[in-house]
Amino acid sequence: MKRMTTALATVFFSALVGAEEGKPRPDPKPSPDVLEVTPQLYAYTTELLFGEVWKRPALVPRDRSLITMAALVASGQTAQMTGHIRLALDNGVKPSEIGALITHLAFYSGWPNAMSAVGVARQVFAERGLDPAQITPPPSEPLQLDAQSETRRRAAVDEATGSTAPELARYTNDVLFGDLWRRTDLAPRDRSLITVAALISQNQSAQLTFHLNRAMDSGLTREQAGEVVTHLAFYVGWPKAMSAVPVLKEVFASRGAT
């Protein structure tokens, strides 16, 4: 396990060089080409997306950057990542958290998408002259798990996949939840937030119920969950956002939300 964790860290973080967190900057502007070719899209982008959606108070800018980066990584949209990694740094996301986000999403959107994101992050970190210590913080003790909840979760995984794909069950229990989710380079709420965003981006509603409940257990409110879906409609499309709404309704009802 230690060898696997070290190998993952080496693969994802050795390519990253670092930079100081930037100061807040004006609203991002699309390329002038957008204004020339599709002026209405330019207007929606500047006036609606950045002029309104990004400024809605239901989610702080840092949360919006996390879910936007998660959506871009999960969708393999590397062409849009440079600007959003810069914006994330400006919004208070630490370089080490960006690396942790990429590592986490390797498990939820696949290694190719994560590997493609590494090169973009490396360029932005180099551009900002980050100190390597900001990219790869010293190791810390893993988070402790609730024994009863973990026992139930492991049993559910074993029941669902153990007899059919026993090694998938083992990796899920021992690596995904036993190691990755216990790492402290992202707070539990942040891990859940980016996982929910990645699942919505990939239209994986079957997995969304569990992870939305986990996010709300970690402090995500009903209002914030609704705002996550609203924000992601602009980044992954209305059909995927609308498909997530029934799951939110079910989760809210099961938790006694009014």
Side-chain angles (χ1 to χ4, degrees):
M1 174 62 67
K2 290 182 179 178
R3 183 177 299 172
M4 180 180 294
T5 302
T6 302
L8 285 172
T10 300
V11 167
F12 286 113
F13 294 122
S14 64
L16 306 180
V17 226
E20 294 180 358
E21 292 183 5
K23 297 179 180 179
R25 61 180 191 173
D27 293 346
K29 300 294 183 185
S31 163
D33 293 342
V34 179
L35 180 59
E36 179 181 341
V37 177
T38 55
Q40 188 58 54
L41 177 59
Y42 187 91
Y44 283 141
T45 304
T46 56
E47 298 169 16
L48 178 60
L49 181 55
F50 287 110
E52 181 179 328
V53 175
W54 272 84
K55 295 178 180 179
R56 288 171 55 83
L59 284 176
V60 298
R62 181 181 180 276
D63 284 346
R64 292 190 186 275
S65 279
L66 285 172
I67 62 175
T68 303
M69 284 194 298
L72 295 177
V73 173
S75 303
Q77 297 289 344
T78 54
Q80 297 296 312
M81 284 181 197
T82 299
H84 279 288
I85 291 175
R86 291 171 181 159
L87 184 58
L89 292 169
D90 293 342
N91 284 335
V93 182
K94 299 176 182 176
S96 60
E97 292 172 331
I98 292 173
L101 177 148
I102 294 171
T103 304
H104 185 93
L105 291 180
F107 288 83
Y108 285 93
S109 65
W111 251 246
N113 283 340
M115 290 294 194
S116 296
V118 168
V120 184
R122 180 186 183 279
Q123 290 176 351
V124 175
F125 292 172
E127 166 191 296
R128 295 211 171 182
L130 277 174
D131 186 299
Q134 294 176 276
I135 301 170
T136 311
S140 59
E141 288 296 315
L143 297 172
Q144 295 299 311
L145 300 174
D146 178 77
Q148 290 185 339
S149 297
E150 181 63 6
T151 297
R152 290 195 297 269
R153 188 203 57 71
R154 291 182 72 96
V157 170
D158 287 336
E159 181 180 357
T161 63
S163 61
T164 306
E167 286 302 292
L168 176 60
R170 181 173 70 85
Y171 288 137
T172 301
N173 284 326
D174 297 344
V175 182
L176 181 60
F177 287 102
D179 183 37
L180 181 73
W181 275 88
R182 297 180 65 195
R183 294 176 62 85
T184 57
D185 43 8
L186 276 176
R189 180 181 176 279
D190 292 342
R191 285 197 186 277
S192 286
L193 194 61
I194 65 173
T195 304
V196 166
L199 293 174
I200 294 172
S201 302
Q202 298 169 108
N203 215 18
Q204 297 289 347
S205 56
Q207 300 295 313
L208 187 54
T209 299
F210 172 82
H211 283 288
L212 181 58
N213 271 301
R214 192 179 181 102
M216 296 182 79
D217 289 343
S218 295
L220 188 74
T221 68
R222 174 180 175 171
E223 181 186 18
Q224 290 169 341
E227 193 69 17
V228 167
V229 175
T230 303
H231 184 99
L232 289 176
F234 290 84
Y235 286 93
V236 303
W238 251 248
K240 291 177 180 177
M242 296 297 282
S243 296
V245 170
V247 180
L248 267 65
K249 287 183 177 179
E250 291 176 6
V251 170
F252 293 165
S254 72
R255 299 176 72 93
T258 57

